[in-house]
Amino acid sequence: MVGSLDGGCADAHGGTPSQQGLPERLPLVEAGNQKAETTLPDDLVALMVMQGEVYWEYARLHLDDADAADDLVDDVFADLAAHWGIVLRQESVEEFCWGVLRGAVDAELARLGRPSAFTAAAAFACAMGDARRGFAELESKIGLFSAIGDLPKRQHDVVVLTYVLGYPLGTAARIMGITLAGVYSLRRDARRRLATALGLDVRTAEEAEDQ
Amino acid sequence: MIDIRRSAADTLAEDVGEDVGEDEGRPVWEPLAGARLPAPEGRGRAALYLDGAHTRLTTRLKLRTAAQPLLSGAARADRAMFELMALCHLAVEDSSAPAWLSALTNGPDIEPHGAYVLGALCHLAVHYGKDEHGKERRRLPTDGSRTWWQLAAGAGDFQAAYTLALLAASHGDQREARHWHDQARQFSQDPDIRTAALAPYNGGLQPAQGLCPTLRQVLAALPSSRDADFGRTPAIAPHPLAAALHHHQTDPRCHATTS
């Protein structure tokens, strides 16, 4: 199933480079050569049950369209199923799949020719939760979510998963396929950047959850 | 249905490093406390996604096969990752790599291509091979390779810009990938950027067993800095590193015999 892509990853998997190592010219594989799967692998169904909801929430936040999120996440899982051999070969399956989701969101936004709807979608959803405070609440949230939207990708993802969507840190680590230490480190970096962007005391951001 | 908000409460705990343990359960930093979206009443729209997902996907998968070749995000990301790894190997195993590293001096004569080689070394050290206990290496929260490639690309090194494009593409960051791809094309003045990136290595590659332990130790011993923009980055120490790399390239124990 993995087929010709096996060639170059000798060192990654401790193989014998003399047999598998890189030849003088790289065998750059064309994606179309892969023999596609036509049934859903059981592990993929498990992944879908575990991550389907959060993938959907992430896509919804960026596209601001529930039906489009359905479509996009279906596409992502279908793509992963069709290339399940590639997925299983990855160093971290979750990190790889998360990357495919993000790539699909980026590609869809590019196709639509518009930027991410994250700031507006999140600020609106958040303000609706406290409708009594109405418009003033919406305005104050826009600054915050705009700053979150401007974070570097991985910091953005960690903040969205843990603060905006409220997943526990360990779950966020599993969703993104990185270590818990990585999540802590990205969160700290994100708080520091947000404090700067929002004109707040950087020290409080660093100390807030580190006391 | 599995609610992953409540389950899996940190079964990863045994596999974490020094950074962990300080802020779960602490009060949330005030500005971010207001970022939490309200939980839906009853079953949210997200939960509905899984209803009938199996049937939808089975149908879609059949359509997909009939409609081949479709652009596959998974195949593209995998290919970028693979190509990136290959370029890093070529850069590190190239016989002039130690000289490039030596020229990475902290002064006006700094050689940006040395930063490209150092980035490649960092990438291989973090992502590939086994640790000293023979366990598969887990990804570390370090961005050393990205930082060094950004430095090199900032000085117009097209190979660094191209590796940054591959790195972004392998994480699904398509916009960033397009940006670096455009930069690489601009720097190299060559529309076929992949061929241009491979051209310096026409002499071929000596297959290696990955980075040798000595080289890894020298790399790991470099003092590193932390930065909110760049993450963890090893500092410049070109000479010991160049010596270790030279040793790695010339010591037959570091390389597979091709018999």
Side-chain angles (χ1 to χ4, degrees):
Chain A
M1 173 166 35
V2 175
S4 51
L5 267 177
D6 260 349
C9 294
D11 290 335
H13 303 286
T16 49
S18 53
Q19 291 153 13
Q20 301 182 355
L22 297 166
E24 292 178 14
R25 292 285 292 180
L26 301 169
L28 295 168
V29 181
E30 296 305 327
N33 292 348
Q34 291 295 303
K35 188 173 176 300
E37 289 288 326
T38 51
T39 52
L40 291 186
D42 290 348
D43 291 345
L44 176 102
V45 175
L47 181 85
M48 193 166 75
V49 171
M50 299 278 274
Q51 322 276 49
E53 247 184 271
V54 65
Y55 279 24
W56 187 91
E57 286 180 292
Y58 188 85
R60 207 335 283 283
L61 274 176
H62 285 280
L63 300 174
D64 197 21
D65 179 340
D67 295 335
D70 279 343
D71 252 0
L72 183 135
V73 178
D74 277 356
D75 261 345
V76 166
F77 283 123
D79 182 14
L80 294 172
H83 299 91
W84 195 241
I86 288 180
V87 177
L88 289 184
R89 207 162 31 74
Q90 301 303 320
E91 193 183 3
S92 160
V93 167
E94 290 91 347
E95 185 179 27
F96 181 78
C97 295
W98 182 250
V100 172
L101 170 77
R102 297 197 323 178
V105 171
D106 269 11
E108 180 62 7
L109 290 171
R111 194 183 68 79
L112 296 169
R114 62 176 171 83
S116 163
F118 171 76
T119 302
F124 190 71
C126 211
M128 288 309 282
D130 192 359
R132 285 161 302 161
R133 294 175 62 190
F135 195 70
E137 178 73 359
L138 180 62
E139 268 191 314
S140 83
K141 296 291 185 213
I142 285 178
L144 171 63
F145 285 113
S146 162
I148 295 174
D150 287 341
L151 287 171
K153 268 278 169 112
R154 292 203 305 168
Q155 291 178 22
H156 168 83
D157 291 352
V158 164
V159 168
V160 167
L161 291 175
T162 62
Y163 288 110
V164 180
L165 296 174
Y167 287 95
L169 299 191
T171 309
R174 201 200 54 218
I175 292 166
M176 291 175 67
I178 59 178
T179 62
L180 195 47
V183 169
Y184 276 101
S185 151
L186 286 166
R187 249 164 73 111
R188 254 205 312 278
D189 291 343
R191 286 202 301 270
R192 221 174 293 157
R193 276 185 81 115
L194 285 173
T196 310
L198 298 168
L200 303 167
D201 184 357
V202 174
R203 226 183 29 227
T204 63
E206 282 170 2
E207 290 168 356
E209 284 158 272
D210 294 338
Q211 297 152 18
Chain B
M1 171 168 337
I2 299 170
D3 183 350
I4 54 178
R5 279 185 184 80
R6 284 191 293 274
S7 68
D10 308 356
T11 45
L12 294 165
E14 75 276 3
D15 196 24
V16 295
E18 87 259 20
D19 282 338
V20 172
E22 68 274 358
D23 65 10
E24 183 94 88
R26 304 261 178 210
V28 177
W29 182 47
E30 186 56 36
L32 278 172
R36 178 72 194 273
L37 299 190
E41 287 173 27
R43 283 189 84 210
R45 177 67 176 78
L48 297 180
Y49 168 73
L50 285 179
D51 294 354
H54 194 284
T55 317
R56 286 201 314 272
L57 279 190
T58 310
T59 315
R60 196 169 284 236
L61 203 50
K62 290 200 173 110
L63 288 176
R64 200 180 174 88
T65 312
Q68 284 282 358
L70 274 180
L71 266 189
S72 161
R76 269 207 310 205
D78 181 67
R79 179 178 163 148
M81 220 175 281
F82 170 55
E83 206 179 315
L84 178 60
M85 189 273 294
L87 278 175
C88 287
H89 266 289
L90 285 167
V92 165
E93 298 297 335
D94 186 53
S95 58
S96 48
W100 287 118
L101 270 185
S102 292
L104 183 63
T105 50
N106 198 1
D109 299 334
I110 185 166
E111 172 51 65
H113 197 68
Y116 170 68
V117 176
L118 180 51
L121 257 177
C122 292
H123 183 80
L124 293 181
V126 170
H127 294 285
Y128 298 103
K130 297 185 172 161
D131 67 12
E132 62 274 23
H133 308 298
K135 277 177 68 182
E136 207 63 53
R137 202 168 284 274
R138 290 293 305 266
R139 290 194 173 193
L140 303 168
T142 168
D143 287 307
S145 47
R146 184 196 299 266
T147 310
W148 287 113
W149 287 333
Q150 280 179 354
L151 181 88
D157 189 292
F158 83 95
Q159 284 166 298
Y162 185 53
T163 48
L164 284 167
L166 292 174
L167 185 66
S170 71
H171 292 149
D173 300 337
Q174 307 298 353
R175 261 178 36 175
E176 194 184 328
R178 276 194 296 276
H179 164 77
W180 286 116
H181 209 268
D182 291 347
Q183 292 277 298
R185 275 210 190 122
Q186 203 180 320
F187 293 155
S188 74
Q189 300 285 317
D190 190 334
D192 185 358
I193 190 71
R194 180 185 301 131
T195 306
L198 290 171
Y201 309 110
N202 272 344
L205 171 74
Q206 226 191 336
Q209 303 269 24
L211 303 181
C212 66
T214 321
L215 188 52
R216 283 184 185 282
Q217 276 162 16
V218 173
L219 202 57
L222 294 180
S224 66
S225 61
R226 270 191 66 88
D227 182 282
D229 291 336
F230 292 108
R232 285 227 170 89
T233 301
I236 292 185
H239 295 301
L241 204 53
L245 181 56
H246 179 73
H247 175 264
H248 164 77
Q249 289 186 346
T250 49
D251 189 334
R253 282 172 301 178
C254 298
H255 289 77
T257 50
T258 44
S259 59

